[in-house]
């Protein structure tokens, strides 16, 4: 019989990390050093700034194209959004980003369908936008972004 050990508390660190603009290799090296330093201090979870690796604040999808070259990229939407899906595909294509397009439908929630898709297609990273809704609406309906954070089986990058 397997016994599950539940940890009662976790040590979390918010790391003050200022990336060097465009120095991807240097940022990755310094980021790894910072992660090792906090791990040596017994930290369970470390939070780094969203631009910690690249040092970039992308203002246009064309700026992402070189980083996605040679990768299998999927553009996935859920429900009756065929027009928006084609529009997004065209924007990415114009930026030099080739994608495989999938419109998901099903009996599961949006988040469950996205998580299932990620597993079925061996996806390593999900990049999704976070749309701000009122605090009142989020209280009553929740947020897909929050649910993805809790349920996704792969790395998740949220862009605002």
């Amino acid at each position: 019989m397997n016994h599950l050990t539940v940890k009662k508390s976790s040590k979390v660190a918010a790391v003050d990390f200022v990336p060097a603009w465009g120095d991807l290799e240097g940022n990755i090296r310094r980021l790894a050093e910072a992660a090792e330093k906090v791990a040596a201090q017994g930290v369970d979870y470390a939070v780094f700034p969203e631009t910690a690796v690249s040092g970039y604040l992308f203002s246009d999808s064309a700026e992402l194209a070189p980083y996605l070259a040679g990768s299998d990229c999927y553009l996935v939407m859920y429900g009756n959004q065929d027009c928006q899906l084609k529009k997004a595909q065209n924007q990415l294509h114009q930026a030099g980003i080739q994608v495989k397009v999938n419109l998901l439908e099903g009996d599961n929630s949006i988040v469950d369908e996205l998580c299932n898709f990620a597993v079925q297609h061996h996806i390593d990273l999900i990049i999704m936008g976070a749309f701000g809704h009122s605090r009142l609406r989020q209280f009553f309906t929740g947020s897909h972004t929050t649910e993805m954070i809790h349920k996704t089986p792969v790395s998740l990058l949220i862009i605002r």
Side-chain angles (χ1 to χ4, degrees):
M1 174 185 284
N2 291 337
H3 294 282
L4 179 65
T5 304
V6 178
K7 194 172 184 180
K8 291 186 179 186
S9 66
S10 296
K11 193 172 184 180
V12 180
V15 181
D16 184 17
F17 182 87
V18 180
W21 180 263
D23 183 12
L24 184 61
E25 290 179 21
N27 289 337
I28 290 172
R29 180 181 33 72
R30 291 182 332 145
L31 191 61
E33 290 168 359
E36 289 173 5
K37 184 177 179 180
V38 295
Q41 296 173 6
V43 171
D44 297 304
Y45 301 99
V47 180
F48 292 89
E50 63 185 300
T51 60
V53 175
S54 66
Y56 285 111
L57 292 173
F58 295 106
S59 60
D60 187 298
S61 55
E63 295 176 21
L64 287 172
Y67 299 100
L68 300 176
S71 298
D72 288 333
C73 297
Y74 294 88
L75 175 61
V76 181
M77 291 188 181
Y78 181 89
N80 188 18
Q81 299 190 46
D82 193 48
C83 183
Q84 289 177 299
L85 186 66
K86 287 181 182 176
K87 182 179 175 183
Q89 181 184 20
N90 287 337
Q91 284 180 315
L92 292 169
H93 179 73
Q94 289 174 0
I97 301 170
Q98 302 303 314
V99 294
K100 299 173 185 177
V101 176
N102 293 85
L103 187 59
L104 302 180
E105 295 180 7
D107 297 327
N108 295 323
S109 72
I110 294 170
V111 171
D112 287 340
E113 290 292 337
L114 289 171
C115 290
N116 290 340
F117 184 89
V119 170
Q120 291 169 1
H121 291 86
H122 309 286
I123 292 173
D124 299 314
L125 172 66
I126 295 173
I127 302 173
M128 68 180 284
F131 298 103
H133 297 292
S134 74
R135 298 265 187 232
L136 185 61
R137 178 175 176 220
Q138 284 185 7
F139 177 76
F140 287 110
T141 64
S143 118
H144 293 124
T145 304
T146 302
E147 192 176 351
M148 281 296 291
I149 290 168
H150 292 287
K151 287 188 172 181
T152 186
V154 300
S155 296
L156 178 65
L157 175 63
I158 300 170
I159 299 172
R160 259 186 112 61

